[in-house]
Amino acid sequence: MGIFDRFKNRHAQEKATNVSDTAERKVNEKTGNKYESQVDDAQQRMERELGMDRDRPPEQP
């Protein structure tokens, strides 16, 4: 795995995180934050399933 592969992987994960955050904000905005905790729980579950757990530090080569 070269340096460019690591950059692409890190960039893809950052982009996916940004998309996830944007989706969460839009849903909360549309629902008036009425379901904020449920939306947050769903986002965390989805990210864990995709291996994007924010609590875990990024993997080092």
Side-chain angles (χ1 to χ4, degrees), residues 1-59:
M1 176 186 276
I3 191 167
F4 293 113
D5 292 331
R6 283 183 272 170
F7 174 75
K8 283 193 275 186
N9 290 340
R10 187 173 302 139
H11 179 69
Q13 187 166 7
E14 288 174 5
K15 186 173 183 179
T17 300
N18 289 340
V19 168
S20 177
D21 289 340
T22 300
E24 180 185 23
R25 279 193 302 275
K26 286 187 184 238
V27 169
N28 283 331
E29 183 181 297
K30 292 283 185 183
T31 61
N33 293 324
K34 185 175 180 181
Y35 303 104
E36 186 174 7
S37 65
Q38 291 94 331
V39 171
D40 188 48
D41 289 342
Q43 178 191 28
Q44 289 175 5
R45 278 190 308 243
M46 185 262 322
E47 288 180 353
R48 260 194 313 273
E49 289 294 319
L50 295 175
M52 298 169 43
D53 193 4
R54 294 177 192 227
D55 295 333
R56 185 177 57 200
E59 294 180 12

